Short mmCIF file of all heavy atoms in Angstrom, two decimals:
data_model
loop_
_atom_site.label_atom_id
_atom_site.label_comp_id
_atom_site.label_asym_id
_atom_site.label_seq_id
_atom_site.Cartn_x
_atom_site.Cartn_y
_atom_site.Cartn_z
N LEU A 404 -86.67 -2.49 15.25
CA LEU A 404 -87.12 -0.96 14.97
C LEU A 404 -87.75 -0.52 16.27
O LEU A 404 -89.01 -0.75 16.51
CB LEU A 404 -88.15 -1.12 13.79
CG LEU A 404 -87.65 -1.67 12.49
CD1 LEU A 404 -88.84 -1.72 11.44
CD2 LEU A 404 -86.49 -0.77 11.92
N ASP A 405 -86.97 0.17 17.17
CA ASP A 405 -87.51 0.38 18.42
C ASP A 405 -88.01 1.83 18.69
O ASP A 405 -88.78 2.09 19.57
CB ASP A 405 -86.36 0.34 19.43
CG ASP A 405 -85.78 -1.15 19.58
OD1 ASP A 405 -86.63 -2.07 19.40
OD2 ASP A 405 -84.71 -1.38 19.90
N SER A 406 -87.55 2.80 17.80
CA SER A 406 -88.03 4.13 18.07
C SER A 406 -88.01 4.94 16.73
O SER A 406 -87.39 4.48 15.65
CB SER A 406 -87.09 4.81 19.01
OG SER A 406 -85.72 4.87 18.48
N ALA A 407 -88.61 6.08 16.68
CA ALA A 407 -88.72 6.97 15.47
C ALA A 407 -88.46 8.32 15.98
O ALA A 407 -88.69 8.85 17.03
CB ALA A 407 -90.16 6.65 14.84
N PHE A 408 -88.25 9.11 14.82
CA PHE A 408 -88.13 10.43 15.02
C PHE A 408 -88.39 11.32 13.75
O PHE A 408 -88.61 10.66 12.63
CB PHE A 408 -86.67 11.00 15.49
CG PHE A 408 -85.61 10.61 14.54
CD1 PHE A 408 -85.29 11.58 13.53
CD2 PHE A 408 -84.87 9.44 14.36
CE1 PHE A 408 -84.17 11.42 12.64
CE2 PHE A 408 -83.92 9.17 13.52
CZ PHE A 408 -83.55 10.10 12.67
N GLY A 409 -88.35 12.62 13.79
CA GLY A 409 -88.54 13.32 12.49
C GLY A 409 -88.62 14.78 12.79
O GLY A 409 -88.94 15.26 13.85
N PRO A 412 -94.18 16.61 12.95
CA PRO A 412 -94.83 16.06 14.37
C PRO A 412 -95.04 14.68 14.25
O PRO A 412 -95.14 13.97 13.09
CB PRO A 412 -96.18 16.86 14.29
CG PRO A 412 -95.91 18.13 13.50
CD PRO A 412 -94.95 17.72 12.37
N ASN A 413 -95.20 13.95 15.29
CA ASN A 413 -95.39 12.57 15.48
C ASN A 413 -96.71 12.12 14.63
O ASN A 413 -97.85 12.70 14.84
CB ASN A 413 -95.74 12.28 16.87
CG ASN A 413 -95.93 10.77 17.16
OD1 ASN A 413 -95.81 9.89 16.26
ND2 ASN A 413 -95.83 10.31 18.50
N PRO A 414 -96.55 11.34 13.73
CA PRO A 414 -97.72 10.88 13.03
C PRO A 414 -98.66 9.87 13.59
O PRO A 414 -99.64 9.31 13.05
CB PRO A 414 -96.97 10.22 11.66
CG PRO A 414 -95.80 9.71 12.13
CD PRO A 414 -95.31 10.55 13.24
N GLY A 415 -98.14 9.35 14.81
CA GLY A 415 -98.96 8.34 15.52
C GLY A 415 -98.33 7.02 15.28
O GLY A 415 -97.30 6.89 14.51
N GLY A 416 -98.76 5.98 16.03
CA GLY A 416 -98.37 4.63 15.98
C GLY A 416 -97.80 4.27 17.33
O GLY A 416 -97.92 5.05 18.25
N GLY A 417 -97.13 3.08 17.37
CA GLY A 417 -96.87 2.56 18.57
C GLY A 417 -95.40 2.76 19.07
O GLY A 417 -95.01 2.30 20.18
N LEU A 418 -94.53 3.37 18.28
CA LEU A 418 -93.13 3.51 18.68
C LEU A 418 -92.89 4.87 19.33
O LEU A 418 -93.55 5.99 18.91
CB LEU A 418 -92.17 3.42 17.44
CG LEU A 418 -92.24 2.13 16.62
CD1 LEU A 418 -91.21 2.25 15.53
CD2 LEU A 418 -91.91 0.97 17.52
N PRO A 419 -91.87 4.90 20.29
CA PRO A 419 -91.58 6.25 20.79
C PRO A 419 -91.09 7.18 19.70
O PRO A 419 -90.39 6.65 18.91
CB PRO A 419 -90.37 5.81 21.81
CG PRO A 419 -90.62 4.50 22.12
CD PRO A 419 -91.11 3.91 20.88
N TYR A 420 -91.47 8.40 19.79
CA TYR A 420 -91.18 9.43 18.63
C TYR A 420 -90.65 10.68 19.24
O TYR A 420 -91.20 11.22 20.19
CB TYR A 420 -92.49 9.60 17.76
CG TYR A 420 -92.21 10.42 16.61
CD1 TYR A 420 -92.00 9.89 15.42
CD2 TYR A 420 -92.32 11.88 16.61
CE1 TYR A 420 -91.87 10.62 14.19
CE2 TYR A 420 -92.15 12.58 15.46
CZ TYR A 420 -91.84 11.99 14.28
OH TYR A 420 -91.69 12.64 13.20
N VAL A 421 -89.75 11.20 18.71
CA VAL A 421 -89.06 12.45 19.01
C VAL A 421 -89.22 13.40 17.86
O VAL A 421 -88.61 13.12 16.67
CB VAL A 421 -87.66 12.36 19.46
CG1 VAL A 421 -86.98 13.72 19.70
CG2 VAL A 421 -87.38 11.46 20.68
N GLN A 422 -89.75 14.66 17.97
CA GLN A 422 -89.73 15.64 17.02
C GLN A 422 -88.41 16.45 17.12
O GLN A 422 -88.07 16.90 18.20
CB GLN A 422 -90.83 16.61 16.99
CG GLN A 422 -90.87 17.58 15.87
CD GLN A 422 -92.24 18.31 15.79
OE1 GLN A 422 -93.02 18.28 16.70
NE2 GLN A 422 -92.38 19.15 14.81
N VAL A 423 -87.52 16.44 16.02
CA VAL A 423 -86.27 16.98 16.10
C VAL A 423 -86.10 18.32 15.44
O VAL A 423 -86.78 18.64 14.59
CB VAL A 423 -85.20 15.92 15.48
CG1 VAL A 423 -85.21 14.61 16.19
CG2 VAL A 423 -85.48 15.70 14.06
N TRP A 429 -77.01 13.02 15.68
CA TRP A 429 -76.84 11.58 15.87
C TRP A 429 -75.18 11.45 15.99
O TRP A 429 -74.56 11.69 15.00
CB TRP A 429 -77.31 10.66 14.79
CG TRP A 429 -77.39 9.30 15.24
CD1 TRP A 429 -76.35 8.31 15.18
CD2 TRP A 429 -78.55 8.69 16.00
NE1 TRP A 429 -76.96 7.07 15.84
CE2 TRP A 429 -78.09 7.31 16.29
CE3 TRP A 429 -79.71 9.18 16.36
CZ2 TRP A 429 -78.95 6.50 16.87
CZ3 TRP A 429 -80.71 8.17 16.98
CH2 TRP A 429 -80.27 6.95 17.33
N MET A 441 -78.65 9.48 19.78
CA MET A 441 -79.16 10.79 19.66
C MET A 441 -78.66 11.69 20.76
O MET A 441 -78.87 11.23 21.91
CB MET A 441 -80.75 10.82 19.53
CG MET A 441 -81.30 12.11 19.21
SD MET A 441 -83.07 12.17 19.19
CE MET A 441 -83.52 11.34 17.87
N HIS A 466 -89.42 11.98 8.48
CA HIS A 466 -89.88 10.90 9.32
C HIS A 466 -88.82 9.90 9.15
O HIS A 466 -88.27 9.56 8.13
CB HIS A 466 -91.20 10.35 8.86
CG HIS A 466 -92.37 11.23 9.02
ND1 HIS A 466 -92.85 11.90 7.86
CD2 HIS A 466 -93.11 11.59 9.99
CE1 HIS A 466 -93.90 12.68 8.33
NE2 HIS A 466 -94.02 12.53 9.62
N ALA A 467 -88.50 9.17 10.37
CA ALA A 467 -87.48 8.22 10.24
C ALA A 467 -87.70 7.21 11.33
O ALA A 467 -88.19 7.63 12.46
CB ALA A 467 -86.12 8.79 10.35
N VAL A 468 -87.27 6.01 11.12
CA VAL A 468 -87.29 5.02 12.14
C VAL A 468 -85.86 4.50 12.40
O VAL A 468 -85.14 4.22 11.44
CB VAL A 468 -88.14 3.76 11.75
CG1 VAL A 468 -88.29 2.66 12.93
CG2 VAL A 468 -89.59 4.20 11.43
N VAL A 469 -85.43 4.42 13.61
CA VAL A 469 -84.09 3.91 13.90
C VAL A 469 -84.00 2.45 13.66
O VAL A 469 -84.67 1.64 14.22
CB VAL A 469 -83.70 4.28 15.47
CG1 VAL A 469 -82.18 3.87 15.72
CG2 VAL A 469 -83.82 5.87 15.65
N ILE A 509 -95.12 3.76 9.84
CA ILE A 509 -94.82 4.23 11.22
C ILE A 509 -96.11 4.12 11.96
O ILE A 509 -96.13 3.61 13.16
CB ILE A 509 -94.18 5.55 11.26
CG1 ILE A 509 -92.84 5.62 10.63
CG2 ILE A 509 -94.36 6.09 12.66
CD1 ILE A 509 -92.32 7.04 10.54
N GLY A 510 -97.23 4.45 11.51
CA GLY A 510 -98.56 4.24 12.10
C GLY A 510 -98.85 2.84 12.50
O GLY A 510 -99.64 2.59 13.46
N LEU A 512 -96.49 0.27 13.02
CA LEU A 512 -95.40 -0.36 13.78
C LEU A 512 -95.71 -0.30 15.21
O LEU A 512 -96.27 0.56 15.80
CB LEU A 512 -93.97 0.30 13.44
CG LEU A 512 -93.38 0.13 12.06
CD1 LEU A 512 -92.17 0.92 11.95
CD2 LEU A 512 -93.01 -1.39 11.97
N ARG A 513 -95.36 -1.46 16.01
CA ARG A 513 -95.42 -1.52 17.33
C ARG A 513 -94.04 -2.07 17.93
O ARG A 513 -93.27 -2.60 17.15
CB ARG A 513 -96.53 -2.60 17.71
CG ARG A 513 -97.93 -2.11 17.29
CD ARG A 513 -98.40 -0.85 18.04
NE ARG A 513 -99.67 -0.39 17.71
CZ ARG A 513 -99.96 0.47 16.76
NH1 ARG A 513 -99.01 0.96 15.92
NH2 ARG A 513 -101.18 0.83 16.54
N PRO A 514 -93.85 -1.81 19.17
CA PRO A 514 -92.59 -2.37 19.81
C PRO A 514 -92.37 -3.91 19.45
O PRO A 514 -93.39 -4.61 19.51
CB PRO A 514 -92.73 -2.21 21.26
CG PRO A 514 -93.70 -0.91 21.32
CD PRO A 514 -94.65 -1.05 20.23
N GLY A 515 -91.14 -4.20 19.27
CA GLY A 515 -90.90 -5.61 18.94
C GLY A 515 -90.76 -5.84 17.40
O GLY A 515 -90.37 -7.01 16.93
N ALA A 516 -91.05 -4.88 16.56
CA ALA A 516 -91.00 -4.86 15.10
C ALA A 516 -89.45 -5.09 14.62
O ALA A 516 -88.63 -4.70 15.29
CB ALA A 516 -91.58 -3.74 14.35
#
Side-chain angles (χ1 to χ4, degrees):
L404 300 173
D405 293 334
S406 62
F408 67 89
N413 186 351
L418 300 183
Y420 186 93
V421 176
Q422 186 171 3
V423 299
W429 200 271
M441 182 186 291
H466 295 99
V468 181
V469 179
I509 291 174
L512 288 171
R513 296 295 181 269

